[in-house]
Amino acid sequence: MRLLQRANGATASTIMRIPIRLLIAIPTVIGALAPILLLLTNYWPSTRHHTDSRLLVTSFSDGNRVGLQTGDADVKVTSAPVSPEWWRNHLKINCRKLGYNGNRNFSKTLLQNIIVDDRHKAMYCLIPKVASTTWRRIFLLLSGYASVENITSILPNEIYDKSNKYLKRLSVYTKEEIEYRVDNYFKFVFVREPYERLLSAFRNKFLVNTNSSSYFKGRFGKKIIKNYRFEPESDPDGNGVKFSEFVDYLLDKKRKIAMNEHWETFYKMCAPCKIKYDFVGKMESMLSDTDFVLSQISPEIKFHLPSRTELRYSHNKTSDFMKDFYRQLSRHSIFKLYQMYRNDFLLFNYSIPLEILNILSENSTHSLEKIISKNEIIDYV
Ligand SMILES: *[C@@H]1O[C@H](CO)[C@@H](O)[C@H](O)[C@H]1NC(C)=O
Ligand SMILES: *[C@@H]1O[C@H](CO)[C@@H](O)[C@H](O)[C@H]1NC(C)=O
Ligand SMILES: *[C@@H]1O[C@H](CO)[C@@H](O)[C@H](O)[C@H]1NC(C)=O
Ligand SMILES: *[C@@H]1O[C@H](CO)[C@@H](O)[C@H](O)[C@H]1NC(C)=O
Ligand SMILES: *[C@@H]1O[C@H](CO)[C@@H](O)[C@H](O)[C@H]1NC(C)=O
Ligand SMILES: *[C@@H]1O[C@H](CO)[C@@H](O)[C@H](O)[C@H]1NC(C)=O
């Protein structure tokens, strides 16, 4: 336990020593420089200098880590990507562990979640907010709808519309065509640590005021407050949902409010046992992983640099808020969430983040070493 705290402390103090303003300034500066860099390089060379590419691609990401990756020792930006062989083997072993029987009954939702590019024989299972804007753009490029010259002129809002219109979903093919693609194409997915993803979704859809969040507050917030607040209130706009109420909704086995793709398990959305993915990219190593996938499916691609607009994402990292928000939950709820997302942890090789382990170890009589060594907290509920 002491070891854990030390690790955590070291990370925190390393981050604190880098002035926050500087970290926030980095993407802005890059954004301002992007047009110039663009003129100088004119494309995203495949043998570019590592530091440069990291900065440039960072500013193109659509996650909450934008701008902090370069300074954050925790983020494995420089790590070599895990090989497809490793992922195929890992998924195979763990799917067997979960009792997957080999059936290929692809649900309609699954087929709709997968984007296909026949020219490059590639398929991508789209999970919202996990590098999805970036990948929508790349697939628009691959499909030939946009060119490297004009890809960045498509604004983020338009991307959804355009990519929905121009990108092919696996659901449009016949059964035989689907099977052929599943067997022969390069298949990949991008995922994110489940606890952090959940908090990111909550903050993004219920705490801020955007067009998207007003939809979510109306569609989910109102009902969550009505059903999971101790003294039910009715708020016509669905404002003020608490994290604990959101989690109570998720954990309700008899929940009447539908799930949503922003918090549905990756397992359900992308069926990693039925679709044998060749590669799993991670938000935590998005830069090298994106790079790797591109090198696999389209080594010739010369990619444009991000536009200024891309950079307007929140500079606050979700991981900075993990402690504050998960502390609002009971230990029991944290355990239950692990159970709920257990397949995602297992199949995508995530372990429980330090922030969560530290909370669990608070006031606890259980030995944390035991929890960690087993990477299995179910027994401690
Ligand atoms: C395939 O899945 C659907 C929906 O989950 C189910 O209704 C159907 O019985 C399944 N078919 C087979 C052959 O397993
Ligand atoms: C981008 O360029 C391609 C190829 O030159 C063209 O077909 C397409 O219409 C352009 N798209 C936009 C959004 O301007
Ligand atoms: C939000 O919705 C309003 C009203 O529909 C619209 O005018 C505005 O452009 C939207 N903003 C964004 C960022 O989509
Ligand atoms: C993000 O961080 C800045 C600076 O620390 C802070 O002023 C701002 O309120 C934060 N934004 C959110 C949405 O928490
Ligand atoms: C998988 O997870 C384990 C345990 O956290 C870790 O030691 C290992 O490096 C991970 N492997 C890969 C390839 O990510
Ligand atoms: C630990 O105890 C403190 C003081 O009673 C309390 O505020 C905190 O919520 C507890 N932590 C957990 C994880 O239960």
Side-chain angles (χ1 to χ4, degrees), residues 245-296:
E245 292 163 352
F246 174 64
V247 168
D248 285 346
Y249 141 67
L250 291 176
L251 295 177
D252 184 355
K253 288 227 164 68
K254 291 181 198 139
R255 86 174 86 78
K256 291 198 184 78
I257 310 169
M259 285 294 277
N260 176 270
E261 56 186 12
H262 288 85
W263 46 82
E264 181 59 273
T265 60
F266 300 139
Y267 183 74
K268 201 144 186 197
M269 289 179 67
C270 295
C273 290
K274 291 180 186 174
I275 307 282
K276 297 183 169 58
Y277 291 99
D278 298 290
F279 186 73
V280 176
K282 294 194 168 179
M283 191 81 166
E284 296 80 6
S285 51
M286 194 179 109
L287 311 179
S288 42
D289 288 351
T290 305
D291 224 4
F292 178 73
V293 173
L294 272 175
S295 77
Q296 296 291 300

Side-chain angles (χ1 to χ4, degrees), residues 331 359 362-363:
R331 204 194 310 270
I359 294 170
E362 250 174 47
N363 318 336

